[in-house]
Each structure stands twice: as structure tokens, then as C-alpha cells.
Amino acid sequence: MFHPFLVRYSRYKGAVMPSVFLTKPLTQAVRLTLAVGMATVPASLLAQDSEPASLEALVVSATALKVETPLVETPRPASVVEEEELRERNVQSLDETFQYRAGVVSGHYGDDNDTDWLKIRGFDQATYQDGLRIYREGFYQWLPETYGLERVELLKGPASILYGEAPPGGVINAISKRPTDNTQGEVLVQAGTDKHRQLGVDTSGPVAGTDNVRYRLVGLYRDGEGDLDFTENERYYIAPSLAWDITEDTSLTVLASFQKDDAIPTNPFKLAYGTVQDTPFGKVDPSTNYSEPGYDTNERTQTSLGYALSHQINDIWRFEQDFRYSELDLLLRSSYIFFQTGPREGQRYLTYRDGKIDSWTVDNRVVGNWYTDRTEHTFLAGVDYQDLNNKGQQNGAGGFSIFGGPIDLFNPQYGNFTPVTAADLIVTEIDKRQTGYYLQHQLRLDDRWVFLAGARYDQAKVDNINRDANTRQKADDNQLSLSGGVMYLAENGVSPYISYTEAFQPIAGTDGNGDLYEPRTGEQIELGVKIAPRNLDGYVTAAVYRIEEKNSLGTSQGGFQIQDRERTTEGFELESVSYLTEQLELTAAYTYNSAKVRDQATAGSERQAPLIPRHQASAWLDYSFTDLAPGLKVGAGARFVGETKDGNTEVPSYTVFDLMAQYAFAPQWQAQLNVSNLADREYVASCDYWCYYGAERSVVASLSYRW
């Protein structure tokens, strides 16, 4: 699905961290990191005193600070979903990853086969893969294949200090599968509802005849239908990689991928009329498709080649360089309902794109670690460069046009349209270049205090060219971004923190008039605590925060993306993971988010931001039948999403349930069943001018053989 104008932790296995402050290790590992307001911590817990000890199972993440740092020892909120959880919940797309995490809204546009839609703390996310930006400009959407990932990391809040352009909600970093020291492999077969079929192969190990070169090859074929009538998607994916230990101090990992999608796009845009509003003709069926199945298409090919280089200069300093070149080719014909024209008729519009994105990005950094009697220092300095060229054809200056005559909203008939011709198209080109210089210093004092400070200066240039009209628009934006934080590592495992961060995001796109957008800017203040008490086999974190963004984008009442507003969010997040017994694990999250939008044209007038619920809650239980039925594990979850509003349109709250069962019936064989939306509940997920039904029930059976 394409919104026509809206460029719309898991068992931590073997992750070893430096000394922290629990009195016992977790049972195996933890599934998630949480952020919590200090006010929620009882005073008696803060006053407790215990012996500090080492914790062997907490996550070490490089996303939060661009250096490996225990998430519990940094004044930034972050979460990680490891490969085991991706597999257990059968995550098929990136936007399903954080369904059981605080602060993240997903599934608000219902079923989708060509875009990942996520909202973090009320804002769009920036998506990175292996630490480098994924370019998603307009309808040119790069989609990471989740079967090719070993984990997904989430850094909440503004992250421009390290990542340059990023919205204030947060950054997602998808980490690709990499070569392993030991020989291993897997063959995975799946089948399910909507004619879902999937075959995956993953093999890795040392290259024969060598002791310093390792390989990995991941491949996948997937095919299936969408929730809407006459929609489908077929995907081919292959990702080879090679790791070479050149010397004891120097290592190089080469990563490549090829992915091809052939789809009839899922466009679940529906009007409020017939979804949240009653009509004389009843409700519109969720599977109703207002597109033109015989004409619409989404053909996407994405290719990438890059590397990660690391060289240990001496005992203190290390040099790291990440590079990737990527290319995305797209042919998109996507029709959708736009507005109502009669009691049961509506007018369709068409979005047409035929072009590609060429991009390359490189990140160079030096990392220094040194110690004194009372301090530990981690210093980071870097320069990164991003270059993007997006060239193609589109229908009209705004990239859309009227498509055919009226269509019946309750019983659509197809064929009443005229195909786009060459005369209807214009050639556009966007060039974007950004250079960032950044510094960051983390100081740890007496193994109790953590001080974090950073600064970044960005130079961003954007050119928007209309080849047919021979016109060029230029934007030259420079921005200084700052961040800082303080955390106290208490002996009892209760670590309060406070942080300040900023965001800067130039937008390589144009509005409905073909004009360049102004860069978005944002800032956040956050107060939180991360808790790992001796009496909890697990840990809890949480935070309260306030984010302000200027030059926000939104959908006008005419369906256009406009930039005439400011956005403010005030929120509270609470997440927890704990082993209630050695077999029973509970993951739970709660989010309160008051997201407000102020239109510049009506200064002082605030309204609730569309799509963003004030309340969200989720819980997932895993139980392993270790004694009664070795190899059997079941899981069940519930996801509650509170009501949302778009102007005067109210969307009721909803709750859906998910189920999982897996059984290792032989040393190398495992069967698994996943059911999402167990009761097949019919609900409207959200409205923002259009309204969207939530995803229907999905049942997928898996069989895997591993060696």
C-alpha cells in the first residue's frame, strides 16, 4: 500500500556485557529493554543496597551510541529484537517487529505488501540497515527482508547527533545476517492463509581450506495474496556475505543483497463513509478493492553492495568504516479512492512512478577507549557522507491525477479508465547530498556516574529538477545538533537518567505544488530510569518525555501532503520482561502518548494528531514444557490500541490476540504454527482523511530443518 501523499528486545543469547549491577544473571537472557519514569520507582527500592555483580546476558547494542554499549548503561531508551523472536513470532515485515514494544505504532494502515509503516513516539521513523541510511523517498520504498536479519534495534527519540537526518521519533537499525565461525544451516518451508507460500535457505561457516575467511548465503522465495481482493505479492531474495580476518587487528565483512518484488499493490484506502460512518447501504466490506487490478502494478528491484571495515590501531584507538551502494528500480501504477461523488460512488486517482534511486553512503569513525583510576572514557569522532539521486517519470507535478470515472463504493466494477500515456508524464529528478561531522564523549566516573555529550554539524543540499519545464529548485541547509545525558548507576540496580537530544531532517520530496519541503527540526527532553533489582529475574525500564517538531508534514482535507504545522508529543512508556518461573516468561508494555498538532494557519488551535492513540498496551507470555513435553513451547499475546481521531472522525479502540506453538520433534527438526488476529476481528485501524481496516486473521505453518 502506498499512501498517495504520505511518504508514510527477545532472548539475548550469548551477549556479554561489561560489569553492571545485578546480583544474579538473568535466566538465559532478556527479551526487551524498557523506559520508565523515575516517579514510578518506589523510594524503598532506591534506598536498597546490594553487592554489584556482573550480568552476562544483557544486550550490547551499537545503535544507541554507535559503539557497543550495554543498553542499561546509557541514558538513551533503546530496544532490540533478536533473531529468535523474529522467528518465534514469524515476523514477515519490518513493521511487525515492535508490535510488543512501548512507543511504537504499527499496523495502522492495515495489510500492506509494499511499504513498512511505523510510528515511534508519534512520528515517522528513520530506517537504517547495518548502520547506514536506507533511502525511502516518496513511493520509492526500500524494504529489508526480515529473513535476512539477525536482529533489529530501535533507538527512541531524536538521533541526529549520530545519524544526521532523522525524525524526532527514533531510528530503526536492521542488522543483516553475517558469516558465522561454525558451520550451520537451515531449510525453512511455510504455508498459510491467503495462499502464503515460502521457502527459505540459510547456510554459513568457514570457507573450505581457510581459517580466516567465512561465508553466509541467505535465500528466500515468498508468494501470497493480500487482504484486499485481487492483490498479491511475489518475492525473490538472495543475500551473500563474506568475512575476512585480514590480520589480528583488521577485519572486513562484505555484504550484498538482491531482492525482486512483483505485486498488485494493496491500497486499503477507504472513506470514513462506509467504515466508521453509517450509510443507507451498510458498511464497506474490508476486502473491497478500489484499485484497478488488471492495470495496477508494483514492480520493485533493489540491489546493494557494501562492506564493514574495522582496524585496531593500538590499545586505545580503533578505526571503522561502513560503506554501501544501493539501487532501487520501480514501476508503480497505483489507483485508489480519493473522494465521494454520490450516495454510493467515489472518484479514483492514480499515482504513477517509473524510475530509480541510486545512492551511496559512507561512515568513517574513530573510537577511543582509555581509563584512569576513577574514570572510563569512550570517545567517538566521525564523518559521514550520503548521496542520493532519484530520477523518474510521474503523472503530473504532484505525481497523481484523476483516474477514470466514478466507481461504486459498495460493489466496484473495473475497467472504466484510460491508461496513462507518455504525453501524461513528466520527468523529475531529485539530487540530495549530505555531509555530517560528529563528536561524542561518554565518561564513566567511579563506576556510578555516566555522562554523555555530543555534537554534530550537517551540510545538506537538495536539488529538485523538472526536466520537462526545465526548472530547478534548490535548498541548502546547515544544522548543528546537540545531545547530552547523565545517568547514575546505583548499587541496587536502579539507574535514573536525564537526557536532551535534537533532530534534523531535510526532505528530498515535493508537495502537491511541486515545491521542496523545508527541513524538519525537533528536540526532546527525557527523564527515565532503568531497573534491574535483585528480586526480579529480568529487568524493567521506563521514561517520560516531551518532543517538539517544527515544519511537520500532514495530510490535508484534500488528501495532499502539506507542511503547515507543528507537532508536540508528551508521553510515558513502560516495558518489562521477567521470568515468572524458569519456563514462563512475560513481556509487557504500556504507552501513553499525547500527540498534538498545531496548524500554522490557525495559531493556538491544537488537535490530537491522527493515527496516534493516547493509550497502547501489550503482553506476551511464553511457556516451555521442559519437563512435561520437552521441545514444546507455546506463546500467546494481546495487543490493545486505544481510540484515535482525525478531526471529527473518531476511530474506536481495538484488541487483537496472537498465538504461537512450536515443537522440536527431532534433534534437527521443528514445526511451528503462528496465528495473528486469532478471532479474525474486523476493525478500523485508523483514519487520516482516508480510513483503513486492520489486518485480517493470518495462519502460517512452518517446518524447518537445521544443521
Side-chain angles (χ1 to χ4, degrees):
M1 176 196 70
F2 278 97
H3 193 300
F5 315 104
L6 183 56
V7 178
R8 357 196 149 243
Y9 174 152
S10 126
R11 188 152 295 154
Y12 296 103
K13 297 288 189 181
V16 179
M17 63 182 292
S19 62
V20 288
F21 39 80
L22 271 188
T23 56
K24 66 176 181 177
L26 296 180
T27 305
Q28 299 186 27
V30 274
R31 182 169 267 176
L32 86 157
T33 308
L34 311 152
V36 178
M38 292 175 60
T40 65
V41 184
S44 59
L45 191 56
L46 287 166
Q48 290 177 3
D49 195 15
S50 60
E51 293 291 326
S54 64
L55 180 63
E56 298 180 346
L58 284 181
V59 172
V60 177
S61 171
T63 296
L65 302 175
K66 270 195 180 179
V67 290
E68 288 191 348
T69 304
L71 297 179
V72 76
E73 294 186 10
T74 176
R76 298 300 308 272
S79 298
V80 176
V81 174
E82 295 281 1
E83 183 182 352
E84 181 177 342
E85 186 180 356
L86 294 172
R87 177 190 302 273
E88 181 178 302
R89 293 199 290 106
N90 190 37
V91 172
Q92 296 276 313
S93 60
L94 198 64
D95 51 9
E96 298 177 3
T97 305
F98 297 103
Q99 289 181 333
Y100 287 90
R101 299 298 182 267
V104 180
V105 176
S106 64
H108 45 293
Y109 294 125
D111 179 56
D112 193 355
N113 63 4
D114 53 20
T115 310
D116 295 319
W117 298 125
L118 290 159
K119 298 282 187 180
I120 305 173
R121 293 188 168 180
F123 298 88
D124 294 332
Q125 90 286 2
T127 307
Y128 282 68
Q129 187 158 2
D130 302 315
L132 299 172
R133 181 66 181 258
I134 289 175
Y135 292 101
R136 294 174 162 181
E137 303 299 342
F139 299 91
Y140 295 83
Q141 297 283 304
W142 184 283
L143 301 181
E145 170 50 52
T146 54
Y147 187 70
L149 303 179
E150 64 180 30
R151 70 181 185 275
V152 185
E153 303 176 340
L154 168 63
L155 176 61
K156 300 176 185 177
S160 287
I161 174 62
L162 294 176
Y163 292 97
E165 59 166 296
V171 166
I172 289 176
N173 188 22
I175 309 299
S176 302
K177 290 180 176 178
R178 300 182 180 220
T180 58
D181 294 331
N182 300 318
T183 300
Q184 64 178 49
E186 175 191 60
V187 176
L188 172 70
V189 179
Q190 289 187 344
T193 52
D194 291 326
K195 298 183 179 180
H196 172 82
R197 299 174 297 166
Q198 179 173 309
L199 172 64
V201 178
D202 180 4
T203 179
S204 181
V207 174
T210 69
D211 58 4
N212 64 340
V213 181
R214 302 171 301 282
Y215 78 95
R216 190 158 192 167
L217 181 64
V218 182
L220 175 134
Y221 171 80
R222 180 187 297 133
D223 187 27
E225 298 179 347
D227 283 357
L228 297 188
D229 295 334
F230 316 115
T231 60
E232 61 186 24
N233 188 73
E234 184 179 39
R235 172 174 294 180
Y236 300 87
Y237 169 81
I238 186 168
S241 58
L242 193 71
W244 178 24
D245 298 328
I246 302 172
T247 68
E248 291 185 356
D249 298 321
T250 307
S251 63
L252 175 69
T253 301
V254 179
L255 301 161
S257 69
F258 172 84
Q259 182 172 311
K260 182 173 176 57
D261 289 277
D262 291 315
I264 298 175
T266 301
N267 282 336
F269 307 104
K270 291 179 172 63
L271 304 176
Y273 182 79
T275 54
V276 295
Q277 298 175 2
D278 292 330
T279 78
F281 313 100
K283 294 287 188 179
V284 173
D285 191 280
S287 65
T288 301
N289 185 359
Y290 295 133
S291 299
E292 192 65 39
Y295 180 70
D296 284 15
T297 189
N298 186 357
E299 302 171 25
R300 180 197 304 107
T301 302
Q302 57 186 56
T303 309
S304 70
L305 177 63
Y307 63 82
L309 174 68
S310 177
H311 175 67
Q312 191 71 38
I313 301 171
N314 53 40
D315 292 339
I316 297 176
W317 295 100
R318 182 174 71 255
F319 172 75
E320 298 175 340
Q321 183 183 76
D322 294 327
F323 170 86
R324 182 172 63 234
Y325 170 80
S326 59
E327 181 177 299
L328 188 154
D329 288 280
L330 176 70
L331 173 60
L332 174 69
R333 296 192 299 264
S334 183
S335 54
Y336 51 92
I337 197 71
F338 203 152
F339 53 83
Q340 186 179 354
T341 59
R344 54 181 300 143
E345 291 84 32
Q347 178 62 56
R348 293 185 297 178
Y349 268 51
L350 175 74
T351 292
Y352 183 98
R353 295 292 187 277
D354 184 4
K356 71 175 183 175
I357 284 182
D358 287 300
S359 63
W360 63 277
T361 181
V362 59
D363 184 13
N364 308 278
R365 57 195 179 272
V366 290
V367 182
N369 297 97
W370 66 93
Y371 306 83
T372 68
D373 290 340
R374 299 179 57 194
T375 65
E376 174 186 347
H377 299 261
T378 302
F379 180 78
L380 173 70
V383 179
D384 60 33
Y385 179 76
Q386 306 175 28
D387 188 288
L388 161 74
N389 178 265
N390 181 191
K391 184 176 181 180
Q393 296 179 305
Q394 65 180 46
N395 53 328
F400 55 90
S401 59
I402 293 176
F403 186 62
I407 191 169
D408 192 312
L409 299 174
F410 301 88
N411 184 26
Q413 303 297 313
Y414 308 111
N416 182 20
F417 72 97
T418 301
V420 169
T421 66
D424 302 318
L425 303 178
I426 63 173
V427 178
T428 63
E429 184 174 359
I430 295 176
D431 284 314
K432 178 173 148 185
R433 300 164 301 284
Q434 180 177 335
T435 305
Y437 311 87
Y438 58 90
L439 300 171
Q440 180 177 270
H441 189 196
Q442 177 167 300
L443 168 65
R444 182 172 174 141
L445 177 64
D446 294 333
D447 281 333
R448 285 293 172 258
W449 291 95
V450 175
F451 301 91
L452 179 66
R456 178 185 176 105
Y457 183 72
D458 280 296
Q459 298 172 313
K461 300 179 184 295
V462 180
D463 290 340
N464 180 37
I465 307 167
N466 184 322
R467 296 294 183 186
D468 292 88
N470 196 27
T471 60
R472 180 188 296 262
Q473 297 169 303
K474 292 185 176 183
D476 192 344
D477 302 301
N478 300 329
Q479 183 74 21
L480 176 66
S481 304
L482 304 174
S483 73
V486 180
M487 171 180 264
Y488 180 71
L489 306 178
E491 291 184 352
N492 58 10
V494 178
S495 301
Y497 68 90
I498 186 171
S499 67
Y500 171 81
T501 49
E502 296 180 343
F504 162 69
Q505 187 184 23
I507 306 172
T510 59
D511 60 19
N513 297 318
D515 297 326
L516 284 168
Y517 293 118
E518 295 292 327
R520 290 187 284 198
T521 59
E523 57 184 12
Q524 172 187 270
I525 184 73
E526 178 169 338
L527 181 68
V529 65
K530 301 183 181 184
I531 310 169
R534 61 185 301 175
N535 59 349
L536 178 67
D537 192 5
Y539 76 99
V540 181
T541 59
V544 291
Y545 60 87
R546 177 182 172 87
I547 303 175
E548 295 182 354
E549 183 190 57
K550 296 181 179 179
N551 295 326
S552 300
L553 290 174
T555 305
S556 72
Q557 288 303 307
F560 302 95
Q561 273 290 283
I562 57 176
Q563 189 175 42
D564 70 336
R565 56 198 62 186
E566 298 177 355
R567 182 186 290 251
T568 301
T569 70
E570 295 177 338
F572 167 73
E573 295 173 359
L574 175 64
E575 295 180 24
S576 179
V577 61
S578 58
Y579 283 86
L580 307 181
T581 70
E582 291 188 358
Q583 291 82 36
L584 183 62
E585 180 187 7
L586 170 65
T587 298
Y590 168 75
T591 303
Y592 171 80
N593 192 334
S594 177
K596 300 288 189 179
V597 174
R598 179 187 294 109
D599 296 337
Q600 295 174 4
T602 57
S605 175
E606 283 190 337
R607 56 186 174 84
Q608 181 178 340
L611 307 175
I612 311 302
R614 287 183 180 271
H615 302 278
Q616 283 182 266
S618 64
W620 180 274
L621 274 170
D622 275 334
Y623 187 81
S624 299
F625 293 80
T626 308
D627 301 320
L628 295 175
L632 177 62
K633 182 178 183 179
V634 297
R639 295 177 276 125
F640 167 80
V641 178
E643 68 174 22
T644 58
K645 292 185 66 176
D646 178 35
N648 295 322
T649 302
E650 296 186 2
V651 182
S653 62
Y654 63 89
T655 303
V656 294
F657 300 91
D658 305 319
L659 184 66
M660 181 277 302
Q662 62 179 215
Y663 182 50
F665 58 91
Q668 295 172 298
W669 291 90
Q670 179 176 281
Q672 181 169 310
L673 181 69
N674 291 89
V675 185
S676 62
N677 190 1
L678 178 65
D680 199 19
R681 175 170 179 174
E682 182 180 305
Y683 62 97
V684 176
S686 68
C687 294
D688 64 338
Y689 178 77
W690 290 279
C691 293
Y692 315 88
Y693 280 107
E696 64 181 22
R697 177 169 55 204
S698 170
V699 182
V700 176
S702 309
L703 179 65
S704 63
Y705 175 80
R706 305 184 201 175
W707 65 90

